[in-house]
Amino acid sequence: MSHRIVSLIASATEIVAALGYQDQLVGRSHECDFPANVVDLPVCSEPRIDVSGTSLEIDVAVKNAVREALSVYAVFKDQLEQLEPTVIITQTQCEVCAVNLKDVQAAVCEFVDSNPEIVACEPMQLDDVWKDIEKVAVALDDPQAGANLNAKLKERLREIQTRNANRPSTPTIACVEWLEPLMIAGNWVPELVEIAGGKAIMAEVGKHSPYQRWEELAELDPDVIAVMPCGFDIERTAQELDLLLNRPEWKNLKAVRNDRVYLTDGNQYFNRPGPRVVESAEILEEILHEEAETHHGTGWLRLNEVTPCESR
């Protein structure tokens, strides 16, 4: 059966493509950019806040929107009506990360002809990612494609876990998901850390990333720090390095003293609960054990490789 698919979340766009249905995508969110040619699709959403601001400015804007019961993103109702989708995919896990369900329902309620099915992904941990892949596949009338994709992804993760199962030590790592205020990545990231042969600190599997105190980070003093702000690529993160470098606790951290701080592409990898959770685990494996550099330069850089001109 042929579908007309609109994906309002980047990870779902990647799921659709990995299932083999990229040619049936007719619309995307403003954040969908992988696979690369999806950027040619009509855009069906936009942020209501200024996402070009500093980490603190973005955090304040999001909090204000939530306090006023506003969505962080807007859906283009007219665009959706013109595209006549049969399937719309969104997310309920985090209204900051994607167009939320109620906005999609509000836009869709005006449809008459296409009567699309709304698929709401709900990723909190890795098991949920597999469920969401199955859910999307069922909506596309191809549950076997979902089962096949999940089998491949799980096998690749098992291979990573096997490589790291018998290491003599398990490095501790702080995965920084936001710079100001400080947040440490939760949800599926601690699971990926464990698969990669490390131990995540200050975060719990299946729970949202909490605000944290710098004093606690200094007390736990992890072996490795991976910086992966939500929605930021490496270049964007590098622009706010002063938020780390100017902290009084920073220079005394073990990871800093031992040059074990890494900037990663949080936008393309860690913040997208879809097929590239495998590449995210590979990146963690590389920075935790420093034995391979397959994703070096694209997925991660050492802090000492970022030149001063790249930071503010």
Side-chain angles (χ1 to χ4, degrees):
M1 179 178 176
S2 180
H3 291 278
R4 296 179 59 80
I5 308 165
V6 169
S7 172
L8 296 177
I9 174 173
S11 57
T13 299
E14 298 188 22
I15 289 172
V16 170
L19 288 171
Y21 289 88
Q22 184 179 339
D23 62 334
Q24 296 185 25
L25 281 165
V26 296
R28 66 178 179 93
S29 79
H30 58 287
E31 293 184 325
C32 298
D33 57 8
F34 186 89
N37 53 352
V38 302
V39 298
D40 297 328
L41 294 170
V43 176
C44 301
S45 64
E46 68 180 358
R48 283 195 174 110
I49 64 172
D50 182 5
V51 295
S52 66
T54 66
S55 292
L56 182 59
E57 289 168 344
I58 293 172
D59 183 73
V60 170
V62 169
K63 287 177 180 175
N64 287 339
V66 172
R67 187 178 300 114
E68 296 174 13
L70 298 174
S71 172
V72 178
Y73 299 118
V75 182
F76 300 156
K77 297 181 181 181
D78 292 343
Q79 181 68 274
L80 288 180
E81 189 169 7
Q82 291 175 15
L83 292 173
E84 297 184 328
T86 59
V87 177
I88 299 177
I89 310 172
T90 185
Q91 175 177 296
T92 61
Q93 188 265 351
C94 178
E95 295 189 355
V96 174
C97 300
V99 176
N100 64 45
L101 183 59
K102 65 177 181 286
D103 287 333
V104 178
Q105 291 171 330
V108 171
C109 71
E110 300 179 6
F111 292 170
V112 176
D113 298 325
S114 63
N115 191 28
E117 177 180 357
I118 300 175
V119 180
C121 296
E122 303 175 76
M124 293 293 290
Q125 55 192 42
L126 281 181
D127 277 348
D128 299 325
V129 177
W130 315 138
K131 291 175 184 176
D132 286 339
I133 289 174
E134 293 173 354
K135 188 185 301 183
V136 172
V138 168
L140 301 181
D141 302 299
D142 193 356
Q144 189 59 52
N148 293 343
L149 177 58
N150 277 342
K152 292 177 182 177
L153 296 175
K154 290 178 183 180
E155 177 58 29
R156 291 175 63 192
L157 287 177
R158 276 194 294 269
E159 291 173 357
I160 297 170
Q161 191 162 25
T162 299
R163 284 199 299 267
N164 297 289
N166 298 313
R167 291 187 179 274
S169 63
T170 304
T172 57
I173 182 170
C175 297
V176 178
E177 190 172 80
W178 201 247
L179 301 175
E180 188 178 23
L182 178 67
M183 298 176 70
I184 302 298
N187 295 119
W188 49 86
V189 173
E191 293 177 275
L192 296 178
V193 168
E194 182 178 359
I195 289 169
K199 180 180 179 181
I201 66 167
M202 304 171 70
E204 293 186 58
V205 174
K207 294 189 177 181
H208 290 306
S209 308
Y211 292 120
Q212 299 286 5
R213 295 167 44 251
W214 273 94
E215 294 80 5
E216 184 178 358
L217 177 63
E219 182 178 346
L220 293 174
D221 202 13
D223 299 310
V224 178
I225 295 175
V227 186
M228 52 182 72
C230 186
F232 284 17
D233 59 16
I234 294 174
E235 182 179 1
R236 178 68 176 81
T237 299
Q239 294 173 6
E240 296 198 32
L241 282 180
D242 57 317
L243 296 176
L244 302 178
L245 304 180
N246 293 340
R247 290 292 312 186
E249 303 90 349
W250 181 253
K251 64 180 180 180
N252 294 320
L253 292 171
K254 184 196 309 179
V256 176
R257 299 196 312 270
N258 295 336
D259 292 325
R260 299 296 308 279
V261 179
Y262 305 86
L263 306 189
T264 74
D265 192 331
N267 178 52
Q268 289 293 319
Y269 297 103
F270 299 96
N271 310 140
R272 295 193 184 188
R276 286 195 291 172
V277 292
V278 176
E279 282 77 4
S280 299
E282 291 173 345
I283 291 169
L284 286 167
E285 180 184 29
E286 291 176 15
I287 67 179
L288 281 166
H289 308 297
E290 298 188 304
E291 293 179 358
E293 297 194 353
T294 303
H295 297 285
H296 180 230
T298 54
W300 62 272
L301 284 174
R302 297 175 180 85
L303 177 62
N304 58 22
E305 292 177 297
V306 180
T307 59
C309 65
E310 290 179 283
S311 59
R312 292 186 177 186

